[in-house]
Amino acid sequence: MAAAAAGAGSGPWAAQEKQFPPALLSFFIYNPRFGPREGQEENKILFYHPNEVEKNEKIRNVGLCEAIVQFTRTFSPSKPAKSLHTQKNRQFFNEPEENFWMVMVVRNPIIEKQSKDGKPVIEYQEEELLDKVYSSVLRQCYSMYKLFNGTFLKAMEDGGVKLLKERLEKFFHRYLQTLHLQSCDLLDIFGGISFFPLDKMTYLKIQSFINRMEESLNIVKYTAFLYNDQLIWSGLEQDDMRILYKYLTTSLFPRHIEPELAGRDSPIRAEMPGNLQHYGRFLTGPLNLNDPDAKCRFPKIFVNTDDTYEELHLIVYKAMSAAVCFMIDGGPVKFSFEYCCSASHSKMNLTGIFCHDLPASVHPTLDFCRRLDSIVGPQLTVLASDICEQFNINKRMSGSEKEPQFKFIYFNHMNLAEKSTVHMRKTPSVSLTSVHPDLMKILGDINSDFTRVDEDEEIIVKAMSDYWVVGKKSDRRELYVILNQKNANLIEVNEEVKKLCATQFNNIFFLD
Amino acid sequence: MGEEDYYLELCERPVQFEKANPVNCVFFDEANKQVFAVRSGGATGVVVKGPDDRNPISFRMDDKGEVKCIKFSLENKILAVQRTSKTVDFCNFIPDNSQLEYTQECKTKNANILGFCWTSSTEIVFITDQGIEFYQVLPEKRSLKLLKSHNLNVNWYMYCPESAVILLSTTVLENVLQPFHFRAGTMSKLPKFEIELPAAPKSTKPSLSERDIAMATMFKRFSCLSLPSSWDYRYGQLYVLFLRHHSRTSNSTGAEVVLYHLPREGACKKMHILKLNRTGKFALNVVDNLVVVHHQDTETSVIFDIKLRGEFDGSVTFHHPVLPARSIQPYQIPITGPAAVTSQSPVPCKLYSSSWIVFQPDIIISASQGYLWNLQVKLEPIVNLLPDKGRLMDFLLQRKECKMVILSVCSQMLSESDRASLPVIATVFDKLNHEYKKYLDAEQSYAMAVEAGQSRSSPLLKRPVRTQAVLDQSDVYTHVLSAFVEKKEMPHKFVIAVLMEYIRSLNQFQIAVQHYLHELVIKTLVQHNLFYMLHQFLQYHVLSDSKPLACLLLSLESFYPPAHQLSLDMLKRLSTANDEIVEVLLSKHQVLAALRFIRGIGGHDNISARKFLDAAKQTEDNMLFYTIFRFFEQRNQRLRGSPNFTPGEHCEEHVAFFKQIFGDQALMRPTTF
């Protein structure tokens, strides 16, 4: 049993205390090969945030990181340092492509106390941040960049350092603003995908729908289908889907919720003659299909970058709670009559804040968008209501929605399936958890313990007051349970978890 | 017109008989489908040929005057010959019975016999102009016994042997039809009905001609558990077909055939109208539940399928020809006997000849040429004539010999050159599975009825007959899908989409999907490295759990590591595969996990200690070996009161190994009480 009785700092916060969450201090990307000689150090730096920092300081910070990595490499050639702990902050290193280094510096959380003489005393909480969480966040930064821009190397091939710098600047300038370091937790480590539970028949109907759409919109290469922000089908490979899912659920979908709630751009197309009434609309691409000047610009994404390196247009189309992503070939050489060439630099229509505006490129025409709308819209609307109906039936069958005595997080490394009853609905800004941050930290600690050994194991922790935290690992699956039972002993807790597994996970092989 | 375009043909082996001529009279019996060639009133011989008989019956009879009608009773037991308008003569053809003729005069005075019909091997109905008389023939006594009679004015009559119904035309306009049904010595009068005649010019008297009426049974059902009394199910549905000619006064564009449904109980109802869109001379046949209308003027025929969707106006359904009009396939008269020797080229037969006589359901007779043909429908040409695949399937599924044609349609729609769109493919699969499901349900309720012991109490409980329209998974797999997935040029996306569509359709009809279909899906996905797709299908249980599937997944582990987890999950869900789970875990050296699992399900008292100790030893983890060894010592203690292994467990080697590593003193001491 590890970390017993952790989270000692419970109790009401002293009134005079002020808390400051962890914050991003700096973020930079460099390649030591670009400025190997003295006096050329500046050339190494490809991106630096905040940009206002004085040049020499930038060079110094980069140099320090370079030195640390070099130094630690002597001890562990294959696994150089991943992070550096200091009193005030923590630095995270990542080398996503050979010689390309990404560094993220996070300030430790601060507690500001009033000393007896009334002067504020600042206390850095050095042990609060979890390495794994923030290393994952850093890796995610790269994955997100790569999804919309391709690899660093590709940019170098296309336009040298200049182009790479442009792309980095354009992307990270906006992306870093969306990092919410104070609310990162275990789920960032997993980077999982929440799957929508569905009966076989409805699932097959969706399959049938996707296949038909791919057939009639013959330029679709991959399709993904989501309902209620949960994945049902991905034609993309797992790793690409993982990051696309992250983009959709934390960026694209949340941005479209508010207009929906406000009742703006009500999507019912009753006015379109000869068209079946439907609720379909584009989340990327044209806003209004009736506007002849509507721009059909879709974000580009790059997938299978290790292999076939495909460039695709991402069309996200939604009807009620069902969203379907059509990914169509966006390579510059491919030609199809559905496309037209355009060199216009017109304003993008909600293509997303991370995607850069590519110059002269092929893209689907308005006619194509209208055709897609008329084919997909009605069918997706029907399908969405089918799913909704089926979902409600299943919910009723599963019985009363009584608040259980426990909360849990489940993750399966094999299919990236993630399920959390700890987290409330994600919003674009923060992911809200329903438990105390200290408990979340214990979960992170248990996860770190699991990472150290390969074998299946189980860790039970007695936390603050009435809480027990149980971590189980069985064949690439992890389960974390937070129990709140007064006066429970170890045996009882063990029994509770067994019961939970029997009810929630009875159809998988989960060793107890 | 290519040969593949004709969808109607005359049978290859017609019944051949001596041509009609002044000395040779030819008669046809609709009940036995026999042709009688009566030469010189029978004195120089009578030859009887039926479609099934290899050997024609020939005999002689005295020429007692002109033969008006001649028919065998069912099973050729008694011959009845009408020579006068008052009497019918009989002659037994039963061995040991006298072959002397005997005669029966009609009972009604001053009545003229219009004809007679056999309703069984010994029951006969006389139709006179004043009514009908139903007799039983007593061959051994050489006499007849009147069972029942009914008086009414009769213009003409018509007999449908399949349903044993006689239709009598009454009234001045001849258009009120009175049906009678005969069964096992009983005669029942059915409600009469009137045929609406088309408006005609005042100068001419309208009347219903016998030539414009036909009777036919269609859609004989094979499976039935309920409604046994209704002939609708046992004999098919009886229809009276009325050929309504084009009348100049009405707006209709052509003649039409009106179908009246004559139920066993209740009134006759006008149900369907077949629009011919032409005028002239027509003849009707019913072949394979299709109404065939021959048109002499154009020498073509059209077919109607009343099961296909038509335009319903609230009371009747209007149908148009299923296919464009075509001639019957040109026919060469086969040359037999001496003619063949002289090696003459075959003579083309004149089709739609005015000497043709058409009988129900499918018989065409050319008395002048001496041939009787059965009309047949060829399904293969129709495949190309009916572009709408859904309608084509509806059509084919109603046909008798449809199986191979349907399978070839399926293969064709999946071929590179003739590829159909997915919605069309889905429609076809749905139609097939709809039929398949109906059969499975009938089969199931039959099995349940048998189990409930109803078979004895209800003699009508029959095992459902499997028609050719039932295409099960094995048919589709063998003839269509297995070849389809092998096609290299086919895009894998399409292959998977088709397989999923078939599985979706089966699921929609709640038909359990067979393992080999799942295997086909897996094979295709694996071939194209689409493991993540496979993973997702399994995640949503699209591929049903089974031991073979779990084993297949295990074998994929080296290509796709998550397959191991998927396989274990599946074995767990099966709940009958605990031994397999233990084996899988042991093979992975997860000895402790295997032990914990088997203990979790309460099976640890029955497992082989040797197997676990072997596996533990192989891990070369001494502590693990110690743990496992100790576990079994404790089990021995609990079960037998001693920690020692019995010789039957064959663990000597492991005991020795244990001692060698941990020493003798580490062995568990027997606890004594």
Side-chain angles (χ1 to χ4, degrees):
Chain A
M1 215 177 286
S10 59
W13 305 100
Q16 64 270 44
E17 275 183 8
K18 253 182 167 172
Q19 268 201 312
F20 297 96
L24 182 70
L25 278 185
S26 57
F27 184 99
F28 45 91
I29 300 165
Y30 66 90
N31 186 330
R33 297 286 169 96
F34 292 175
R37 301 223 181 81
E38 224 163 282
Q40 296 176 341
E41 288 91 347
E42 199 190 352
N43 297 346
K44 294 177 190 174
I45 306 171
L46 298 166
F47 173 78
Y48 201 102
H49 166 87
N51 197 27
E52 304 78 54
V53 173
E54 198 264 321
K55 188 174 92 180
N56 283 325
E57 197 189 331
K58 285 182 186 171
I59 293 170
R60 264 205 315 279
N61 287 336
V62 167
L64 178 64
C65 293
E66 229 188 303
I68 290 164
V69 169
Q70 258 335 24
F71 174 68
T72 53
R73 218 194 272 276
T74 32
F75 303 102
S76 170
S78 60
K79 286 185 195 165
K82 287 259 188 296
S83 68
L84 174 69
H85 296 208
T86 65
Q87 188 206 3
K88 290 185 180 173
N89 60 43
R90 228 177 252 200
Q91 306 195 8
F92 299 92
F93 315 117
N94 180 30
E95 186 189 17
E97 292 176 41
E98 204 183 354
N99 292 315
F100 286 96
W101 285 87
M102 294 174 81
V103 179
M104 179 170 77
V105 185
V106 181
R107 194 202 59 214
N108 282 326
I110 300 172
I111 295 179
E112 195 185 277
K113 288 179 179 166
Q114 299 291 122
S115 67
K116 285 192 182 124
D117 55 7
K119 276 184 188 161
V121 177
I122 284 176
E123 200 175 282
Y124 287 94
Q125 297 186 290
E126 290 170 49
E127 299 307 320
E128 282 305 294
L129 298 182
L130 289 165
D131 275 355
K132 276 191 81 181
V133 171
Y134 292 94
S135 299
S136 305
V137 170
L138 183 57
R139 276 199 303 274
Q140 222 167 56
C141 287
Y142 172 72
S143 302
M144 198 64 87
Y145 168 84
K146 192 181 70 171
L147 178 68
F148 291 106
N149 296 276
T151 58
F152 296 154
L153 204 64
K154 189 72 173 33
M156 292 293 293
E157 286 167 5
D158 289 351
V161 183
K162 187 172 170 284
L163 182 67
L164 177 59
K165 279 185 172 174
E166 272 172 28
R167 287 190 181 170
L168 290 172
E169 180 63 37
K170 191 152 216 166
F171 178 80
F172 284 108
H173 175 69
R174 284 186 284 192
Y175 184 72
L176 292 180
Q177 294 168 20
T178 68
L179 287 180
H180 298 280
L181 295 181
Q182 69 277 19
S183 56
C184 294
D185 60 31
L186 192 59
L187 290 192
D188 291 283
I189 299 177
F190 295 148
I193 294 169
S194 178
F195 285 93
F196 187 77
L198 203 59
D199 66 293
K200 178 161 67 172
M201 196 54 232
T202 316
Y203 184 78
L204 284 166
K205 273 192 206 165
I206 294 171
Q207 276 297 319
S208 182
F209 163 80
I210 292 167
N211 290 333
R212 285 168 193 213
M213 293 308 109
E214 289 191 357
E215 183 180 64
S216 40
L217 307 167
N218 52 5
I219 54 170
V220 175
K221 212 164 173 186
Y222 305 105
T223 307
F225 194 100
L226 295 94
Y227 189 86
N228 260 354
D229 293 5
Q230 291 174 300
L231 186 67
I232 292 176
W233 169 253
S234 162
L236 278 184
E237 285 304 312
Q238 202 178 48
D239 279 341
D240 290 322
M241 192 60 228
R242 179 187 230 171
I243 194 69
L244 179 62
Y245 178 78
K246 173 92 186 167
Y247 164 69
L248 294 172
T249 54
T250 60
S251 176
L252 186 69
F253 292 160
R255 266 185 292 125
H256 284 84
I257 284 172
E258 276 142 57
E260 265 169 38
L261 294 178
R264 273 193 286 127
D265 53 76
S266 175
I268 307 177
R269 308 268 169 66
E271 75 277 11
M272 280 184 92
N275 230 18
L276 277 166
Q277 205 178 40
H278 67 79
Y279 292 87
R281 65 201 185 101
F282 286 93
L283 295 197
T284 61
L287 267 183
N288 183 359
L289 291 169
N290 293 329
D291 175 7
D293 297 325
K295 293 292 175 287
C296 305
R297 299 186 70 79
F298 294 96
K300 280 202 167 188
I301 59 168
F302 297 80
V303 301
N304 291 327
T305 47
D306 297 335
D307 185 18
T308 45
Y309 207 97
E310 291 159 73
E311 200 175 327
L312 306 166
H313 288 292
L314 175 66
I315 301 174
V316 184
Y317 189 85
K318 196 173 177 186
M320 305 198 280
S321 295
V324 57
C325 306
F326 295 113
M327 284 155 268
I328 64 178
D329 225 315
V333 283
K334 297 264 169 62
F335 179 77
S336 162
F337 69 94
E338 296 285 2
Y339 291 78
C340 79
C341 285
S342 160
S344 71
H345 281 260
S346 55
K347 198 177 120 269
M348 277 190 301
N349 268 322
L350 278 166
T351 46
I353 53 166
F354 310 147
C355 335
H356 65 104
D357 209 344
L358 284 168
S361 69
V362 286
H363 59 81
T365 62
L366 187 60
D367 275 350
F368 174 78
C369 294
R370 284 187 181 143
R371 195 160 74 89
L372 187 147
D373 183 67
S374 69
I375 296 172
V376 179
Q379 295 198 46
L380 189 61
T381 305
V382 172
L383 201 53
S385 49
D386 274 6
I387 299 169
C388 180
E389 197 177 313
Q390 203 57 45
F391 179 63
N392 288 333
I393 290 170
N394 293 347
K395 217 162 74 179
R396 244 176 284 133
M397 270 167 33
S398 68
S400 59
E401 287 287 292
K402 218 182 89 194
E403 184 75 5
Q405 282 291 303
F406 51 80
K407 292 193 171 6
F408 70 88
I409 295 175
Y410 163 86
F411 180 69
N412 181 358
H413 288 270
M414 290 280 125
N415 60 357
L416 307 181
E418 169 191 284
K419 196 173 178 184
S420 169
T421 61
V422 170
H423 293 78
M424 263 98 89
R425 195 184 169 80
K426 277 178 190 161
T427 66
S429 47
V430 272
S431 80
L432 293 168
T433 56
S434 56
V435 298
H436 195 275
D438 288 346
L439 286 170
M440 289 310 292
K441 184 159 179 293
I442 296 174
L443 297 184
D445 286 333
I446 295 176
N447 172 266
S448 305
D449 283 343
F450 283 160
T451 318
R452 275 193 276 278
V453 274
D454 266 345
E455 272 153 47
D456 295 354
E457 60 179 357
E458 191 168 337
I459 295 171
I460 302 178
V461 179
K462 174 85 171 81
M464 301 165 296
S465 54
D466 292 327
Y467 285 104
W468 285 84
V469 180
V470 181
K472 272 166 75 81
K473 186 183 162 207
S474 166
D475 189 34
R476 313 286 287 144
R477 289 185 167 112
E478 291 175 32
L479 175 67
Y480 302 85
V481 187
I482 299 169
L483 289 139
N484 182 13
Q485 264 182 331
K486 276 202 163 61
N487 308 320
N489 61 30
L490 191 60
I491 294 167
E492 286 161 352
V493 167
N494 197 33
E495 282 303 310
E496 262 321 295
V497 175
K498 262 191 186 171
K499 252 192 268 168
L500 166 72
C501 290
T503 53
Q504 298 274 333
F505 303 103
N506 60 333
N507 59 353
I508 58 170
F509 185 79
F510 205 62
L511 216 50
D512 62 301
Chain B
M1 202 185 290
E3 180 153 318
E4 53 282 350
D5 230 17
Y6 302 105
Y7 51 80
L8 287 167
E9 64 179 358
L10 300 174
C11 67
E12 224 169 285
R13 293 165 156 244
V15 176
Q16 210 177 343
F17 54 88
E18 198 182 332
K19 291 171 195 171
N21 58 43
V23 287
N24 183 47
C25 295
V26 177
F27 298 89
F28 179 67
D29 170 18
E30 287 181 78
N32 289 323
K33 316 284 183 232
Q34 287 167 327
V35 185
F36 289 74
V38 182
R39 234 179 299 147
S40 322
T44 50
V46 178
V47 179
V48 186
K49 280 186 171 178
D52 308 323
D53 324 326
R54 291 285 142 110
N55 306 314
I57 306 167
S58 34
F59 55 89
R60 277 169 206 283
M61 55 186 193
D62 297 335
D63 184 359
K64 293 182 186 166
E66 189 203 346
V67 173
K68 291 184 167 180
C69 185
I70 180 166
K71 284 170 186 174
F72 270 117
S73 74
L74 302 184
E75 294 152 45
N76 302 334
K77 290 219 162 88
I78 303 161
L79 180 75
V81 187
Q82 187 198 350
R83 294 182 174 103
T84 73
S85 61
K86 300 284 181 197
T87 58
V88 176
D89 303 324
F90 295 88
C91 180
N92 295 337
F93 270 68
I94 311 163
D96 309 329
N97 269 332
S98 164
Q99 295 202 359
L100 275 177
E101 280 194 8
Y102 45 104
T103 304
Q104 177 67 43
E105 194 175 345
C106 69
K107 294 276 193 230
T108 320
K109 279 182 189 145
N110 303 325
N112 291 315
I113 298 175
L114 301 172
F116 62 85
C117 312
W118 288 100
T119 59
S120 80
S121 60
T122 54
E123 284 161 359
I124 191 164
V125 184
F126 289 4
I127 299 99
T128 72
D129 52 3
Q130 289 176 32
I132 54 171
E133 296 167 7
F134 183 35
Y135 293 97
Q136 181 169 27
V137 184
L138 306 164
E140 58 283 359
K141 290 186 182 166
R142 300 177 52 241
S143 66
L144 278 79
K145 186 179 132 196
L146 182 69
L147 295 173
K148 214 163 179 191
S149 65
H150 191 88
N151 291 332
L152 78 170
N153 288 321
V154 179
N155 305 308
W156 46 264
Y157 75 97
M158 187 163 286
Y159 180 48
C160 175
E162 284 82 14
S163 51
V165 168
I166 290 176
L167 211 53
L168 303 177
S169 155
T170 67
T171 73
V172 188
L173 297 179
E174 306 187 7
N175 66 332
V176 175
L177 301 178
Q178 172 62 61
F180 286 91
H181 176 231
F182 299 87
R183 193 170 127 200
T186 63
M187 173 176 98
S188 36
K189 187 179 167 190
L190 304 177
K192 64 182 175 194
F193 61 97
E194 190 180 330
I195 301 275
E196 298 161 40
L197 294 171
K202 275 179 187 153
S203 54
T204 58
K205 187 198 105 185
S207 72
L208 180 65
S209 161
E210 184 184 350
R211 281 196 314 255
D212 295 336
I213 290 290
M215 274 201 284
T217 54
M218 289 193 263
F219 310 113
K220 185 172 152 81
R221 292 289 169 103
F222 296 101
S223 59
C224 66
L225 294 160
S226 52
L227 309 164
S229 64
S230 161
W231 89 38
D232 285 15
Y233 286 83
R234 295 181 64 205
Y235 305 108
Q237 297 171 17
L238 177 61
Y239 284 95
V240 175
L241 288 75
F242 166 48
L243 181 61
R244 182 155 68 185
H245 291 283
H246 172 65
S247 67
R248 275 176 215 107
T249 50
S250 76
N251 301 328
S252 68
T253 52
E256 42 193 37
V257 176
V258 187
L259 268 68
Y260 293 82
H261 179 223
L262 190 57
R264 177 74 178 84
E265 272 137 30
C268 183
K269 191 171 178 297
K270 187 158 107 177
M271 299 281 282
H272 302 276
I273 291 179
L274 317 180
K275 307 291 283 182
L276 300 177
N277 292 326
R278 43 174 73 175
T279 56
K281 276 189 184 168
F282 297 98
L284 301 175
N285 272 134
V286 173
V287 183
D288 204 0
N289 296 326
L290 294 168
V291 179
V292 182
V293 183
H294 307 291
H295 188 229
Q296 203 180 21
D297 309 20
T298 57
E299 298 194 355
T300 56
S301 307
V302 285
I303 55 175
F304 292 88
D305 184 350
I306 57 169
K307 277 281 168 88
L308 286 186
R309 196 138 49 112
E311 298 141 32
F312 186 61
D313 76 348
S315 63
V316 291
T317 313
F318 292 85
H319 298 270
H320 293 278
V322 180
L323 301 166
R326 288 283 186 272
S327 158
I328 295 170
Q329 185 174 331
Y331 185 83
Q332 312 279 340
I333 290 186
I335 292 164
T336 49
V341 181
T342 57
S343 71
Q344 286 172 339
S345 56
V347 186
C349 173
K350 168 89 182 89
L351 300 176
Y352 300 92
S353 146
S354 54
S355 74
W356 275 15
I357 310 163
V358 168
F359 291 95
Q360 296 320 314
D362 59 348
I363 287 161
I364 295 174
I365 291 175
S366 171
S368 62
Q369 288 170 305
Y371 286 103
L372 180 152
W373 293 281
N374 293 91
L375 186 67
Q376 295 170 339
V377 174
K378 284 165 67 182
L379 296 181
E380 287 85 357
I382 294 172
V383 170
N384 298 322
L385 288 170
L386 206 57
D388 179 342
K389 288 274 188 295
R391 206 171 155 80
L392 176 64
M393 276 297 143
D394 286 339
F395 177 85
L396 290 177
L397 284 168
Q398 297 292 336
R399 309 283 79 85
K400 277 194 204 82
E401 305 280 328
C402 60
K403 184 167 170 171
M404 292 325 284
V405 181
I406 290 175
L407 289 170
S408 78
V409 170
C410 291
S411 292
Q412 193 193 344
M413 74 180 178
L414 301 180
S415 72
E416 184 63 26
S417 52
D418 258 329
R419 194 168 124 176
S421 72
L422 285 173
V424 169
I425 292 166
T427 307
V428 169
F429 285 156
D430 284 348
K431 288 187 190 293
L432 294 187
N433 289 328
H434 179 68
E435 245 359 86
Y436 177 27
K437 175 67 175 170
K438 273 201 298 198
Y439 170 73
L440 289 178
D441 284 349
E443 180 94 303
Q444 197 192 7
S445 35
Y446 169 76
M448 274 162 63
V450 168
E451 207 168 298
Q454 283 177 18
S455 50
R456 257 164 263 126
S457 57
S458 163
L460 288 159
L461 184 74
K462 273 197 263 167
R463 190 183 187 90
V465 174
R466 187 175 167 152
T467 65
Q468 285 211 3
V470 178
L471 279 89
D472 63 16
Q473 296 172 62
S474 132
D475 294 324
V476 175
Y477 172 83
T478 315
H479 298 279
V480 183
L481 296 178
S482 59
F484 166 63
V485 299
E486 291 301 325
K487 283 185 191 150
K488 293 276 180 298
E489 71 277 11
M490 215 41 94
H492 63 78
K493 247 188 189 180
F494 181 65
V495 174
I496 292 158
V498 167
L499 294 177
M500 292 316 285
E501 207 54 69
Y502 188 56
I503 289 174
R504 184 219 30 94
S505 180
L506 289 169
N507 272 289
Q508 196 152 310
F509 288 97
Q510 290 161 318
I511 302 168
V513 180
Q514 294 292 322
H515 171 66
Y516 45 75
L517 287 175
H518 290 149
E519 213 170 305
L520 209 56
V521 173
I522 296 176
K523 207 176 97 183
T524 312
L525 292 169
V526 168
Q527 254 170 20
H528 295 94
N529 274 320
L530 298 167
F531 288 105
Y532 189 45
M533 272 194 194
L534 172 61
H535 200 134
Q536 295 184 64
F537 289 152
L538 289 162
Q539 205 171 312
Y540 283 96
H541 307 293
V542 166
L543 310 173
S544 320
D545 297 342
S546 70
K547 270 192 207 178
L549 190 53
C551 293
L552 183 62
L553 286 171
L554 269 186
S555 71
L556 294 174
E557 194 194 345
S558 53
F559 307 101
Y560 186 64
H564 178 255
Q565 192 189 61
L566 289 167
S567 170
L568 268 186
D569 291 349
M570 194 175 280
L571 291 170
K572 160 87 187 299
R573 285 192 297 268
L574 286 169
S575 77
T576 54
N578 295 330
D579 294 345
E580 283 83 352
I581 292 177
V582 169
E583 291 301 329
V584 170
L585 292 172
L586 287 182
S587 72
K588 292 254 141 195
H589 305 300
Q590 291 178 295
V591 190
L592 212 53
L595 202 55
R596 285 177 67 179
F597 167 74
I598 202 83
R599 194 181 59 183
I601 57 163
H604 54 296
D605 284 354
N606 305 316
I607 47 171
S608 149
R610 188 189 156 88
K611 190 196 275 178
F612 281 78
L613 289 169
D614 272 343
K617 202 175 156 209
Q618 270 171 27
T619 62
E620 293 173 3
D621 177 347
N622 287 342
M623 278 325 290
L624 179 68
F625 184 79
Y626 183 91
T627 311
I628 302 294
F629 192 87
R630 183 62 89 221
F631 173 84
F632 283 106
E633 279 189 323
Q634 283 167 352
R635 184 181 81 164
N636 293 342
Q637 174 73 43
R638 187 163 44 80
L639 295 179
R640 291 194 297 268
S642 158
N644 298 330
F645 291 91
T646 63
E649 292 179 274
H650 302 291
C651 292
E652 295 80 9
E653 174 199 342
H654 302 99
V655 174
F657 181 70
F658 185 83
K659 282 187 204 163
Q660 182 200 326
I661 304 281
F662 303 106
D664 284 12
Q665 72 286 353
L667 286 173
M668 197 172 142
R669 307 252 165 259
T671 44
T672 44
F673 299 100

